[in-house]
Amino acid sequence: MRKKNPPAWALGMLQFFCKDRYLEQIEGDLLELFDREKSVRKAKRKFGWNTMRFFRLRYLKGLDDFEQLTTLAMIKNYLKIAIRTLLKQKSYAGINIAGLAIGIASCLLIFMYIAHERSYDNFYPDVDRLYRVGVGERGAYSPPMLAKTMQEEYSQVEVATRLSGLWETLFKIGDRSFMQAGAGFGDENTFKVFQTEFIHGDPETALLQPDNIVLTESLAQKCFPDELAMNKTIEIDGEVYQVSAIVIDPPKNTHFPYQYIAASLESGHNNWTGNSGWTYAKIQDGVPVEEINLKLKELYYKYVGPEIIDFSGHTSFEEFMEENPNRYYGFTVHPVSSIHLYMPHLSMGPRGDYKNVIIFWVITLFILLIACVNYINMATARSAVRSKEVGIRKAMGSHRKNIIVQFLVESMVITLLAVLIALVISATSIDYFNQLTGRQFTITDLFSPSNILSICLLLIVVGLLAGVYPAYIISGFSPLKALRGQMQQAGKKSLRSWLVSFQFAISIFLVAATVVIYQQVTYMQSKKLGVNIDQTLVISNGNELEDKYELFKNQLEQISGIQQVAKMSNVPFSFVGDWNYTIPADNKREVAPSNVFTVAGAEKVLDIEMVSGRFFDKDRVTDTSAVVINQSLAKEIGLENPLGSVLSRGNGLNFTVIGVMKDFNYASLKREIGPLIYRFGNKHGEMGMWHQRYVIVKVNGSDILKTIGEIEDLWDQQVPNYPFDAGFLNDAFQRQYEGERKFGQVFTTFSILAIFIAFLGLFALTTFVLQKRVKEIAVRKVLGASIPSLLRMMLKDFTRLVFLGGIVGIAAAFYWLEEWLKGYNYRIDLSWYLLALPVVLILLLTWIVVSLKSYKAAVANPSNALKEE
Amino acid sequence: MKNKSYQLGELEELVLMIVAILQENAYGVKVMDEILDQIGRKVNISAVHTVLDRLEKKDFVSSYMGGASSERGGRRKRLFKVTATGSKAIAYVHQTRNELYDKIPKTVLGFQ
């Protein structure tokens, strides 16, 4: 008996990797050395070490050590047979490869898309410690004082920064001027939170001076081609800045795609209630989100509370909260890495949606499954052809295991070919994919290391998924029956039927979804809004007109095609801020309508209908303290006749309601019409010149292009240093549904692909069924069956499958679409015919495919089929 | 006589000579111990095995499995002995070294 035993792991490892030829002598020597050592611990340690030292190429097992040499030869044989079968049945192989290639190509593109969507902002160092801070639970904007205060009062905040953006601004360099997008304004901490690589300049001092500006590399190149941009001056919207640093361009996958950051102008704003910028913070490692939120809540109570009651007139903040209980009082932090997918409304760049990512993923998986089902169906349906081969192999001594391997090799070969074609398909369709997703992928993204890994993974998974069942079934053939000449049909017919109806179900689901999404988009686009937005031209940057607005307006009204001109601070379908008002007559209850400044004439441009009272009148001086509200706000005020009631902004700013407008949609139709207030706009109001940010013009001439040209000439006369920028309100309205349209496009694409693959499979399956039933059809015909009755017989089976799939597909579609439509306040109702339509479509397609194939068999001379036996 | 096939690595040369010294009793651990005893050099057992294997491939040594014993966990030893080519190689190496040594001026070696 041995007194001590060497570590089992080391011996096991040696036995695993070492060639049998060397194993005994090495083990022997190792054991001898082991026994010689006095200390057991030392012996064990040495034994392990020495074992590992034998891990040399010379002792490693090679290919020939694992199995007998015949395995290699057999795999060669399998490959040869696989390629021969493939060439022998070109059309079947073609259908399989085409289907799988399309499925795999969609998978590759979607994998790339998902990887991209999930990678947003992960390139920032310490991204797991970066947070966006907002008001309430989801608010995007935050008070100007927040960043500095939280950094000062809360030691766990490493650094906090305040930003605003991203805007479009006017650049002037020498005698060149152009509009430049991607403008951010930030304080000196911006690049401490968003760390990036500096090409020139110092991150510590880059934004310290109020006239500092940091350019990205590409913008620096654009502004100062072929010279160093450092310390050069640029005039931005009239202010002069000096370039203090140049940084590398931020990558594509960021929610903050800035082109430049200028030192913030807003240092003077010291309030806690005007939420006007973004706040970001870097928090110390390991501080949980709940703790940060709790701490920030204290800040809210300490600073925001007093300012709120100052203006609302309550005696304490607690009392105010009690009366307005439906709000979250505090700030919340959101991880920067989750903004793109989970908090897209906080993003300044491309917006993602995790729901879309999941939906795309599921649909691609479905398409891949349809293609796999094709393979399974065709392989099992055609298995009879291979039964003799299997019989002979078994008679020659093949194990079932070997035959399974053979058929798996075959499915792998097909999958490999499909993958190669899929690479070509995905590379060529990348432009279309970019258009669908609104991203900018290039072919290099397609061949990123992670995507290459998924290509290999797909190869194995799809090869197994498609191949395992047929291989398992075919390998079970009895050699005796096979060699005696009895045809064996593998797999149950019922399983094939189930798989086919599964394909129908997916196709019907996708078609139903496509139809409903387009119906909803059409419905929203043609919905009566309550205002007339046709032929309404919106001229941006009206604030640049300053006091020349009246002059400009008069000039415009001279043009023959122009009926009416007015100005507004916010036009419909663009962002409108909610402003707080109190109702002094109702115990200072608070309302928060969307707040817009406008003037007399707007009601004529937009065709606003008044329910009671009147719109502004430019001849009445008292209208500066008058407001017009919509029905929704009137309802919130709660009076039967709200005319004459007073709304207060605090500090003695009181406004009298002079009219009630009929509700109209001024925002997306996803939401219901919220309360809206129209204030009289002039430059002494709370928004200054921004009250005339937009000039709205009703254009009614026959030659609209000419009219716009004339308007542009007039603008250039009045504001020579600012480019003319105008667009039609209707376009802005349509643009709101861009996302839905793209969504619809995605579904159309996927439905077409799914139907295409499924019907390829159906076509092949019909061909095969007909081949098997050709004698039956001939006998029936001889006995007097008519051609229509024969066709009916063939169609009956498939019709049943379509209905079976239809029930499942429609049920799933109904459930999901009902859920999807819940996101829209103005929505279509799901009617039976919307959902029956896809079933009818698929049924018709099925009939066409099956009849085309069957007709040939039905009209054929039965003697041809019967003469051979 | 210059023969390329007699080229030996330093450790190979050493192991070959040790095998020759041990005469039919040479196996991994023994060779390792002998190197330590004779010239006080520590060599890992895996290196010894590798060198022996290499020498066998070059046909300088031949090997056979020894009898089983209760020691070494019942594992047999692989015993090595020098082949005729191996003996020639040792002689060749010895001779070339001596020739070279003789050509070295005595003054360089530091004694008269």
Side-chain angles (χ1 to χ4, degrees), chain A residues 545-561:
Chain A
L545 280 165
E546 300 190 338
D547 291 331
K548 288 178 280 191
Y549 166 75
E550 285 301 325
L551 184 63
F552 184 59
K553 174 179 187 258
N554 289 337
Q555 284 175 330
L556 286 186
E557 280 167 349
Q558 301 300 314
I559 301 174
S560 63

Side-chain angles (χ1 to χ4, degrees), chain A residues 25 27 29 32 36 58, chain B residues 27 33 49 72 75 78:
Chain A
Q25 68 203 59
E27 272 184 353
D29 279 4
E32 190 177 332
R36 220 156 62 178
R58 127 183 350 253
Chain B
Y27 68 95
D33 290 345
H49 272 257
R72 296 162 57 91
R75 268 74 162 184
R78 179 175 289 274

Side-chain angles (χ1 to χ4, degrees), chain A residues 358-371:
Chain A
I358 295 172
I359 290 169
F360 287 3
W361 170 221
V362 170
I363 294 176
T364 344
L365 215 63
F366 276 161
I367 291 195
L368 198 61
L369 275 182
I370 291 183

Side-chain angles (χ1 to χ4, degrees), chain A residues 593-594 608-611 627-637 642 647 657 659-666 672-678:
Chain A
S594 297
I608 294 171
E609 200 180 316
M610 300 302 290
V611 179
V627 288
V628 179
I629 61 175
N630 73 351
Q631 282 174 303
S632 164
L633 180 55
K635 211 155 123 206
E636 272 196 25
I637 292 174
L647 294 170
V657 177
V660 179
M661 302 179 280
K662 194 171 184 304
D663 274 343
F664 63 88
N665 286 100
Y666 59 90
E672 57 183 313
I673 300 172
L676 176 70
I677 189 166
Y678 272 12

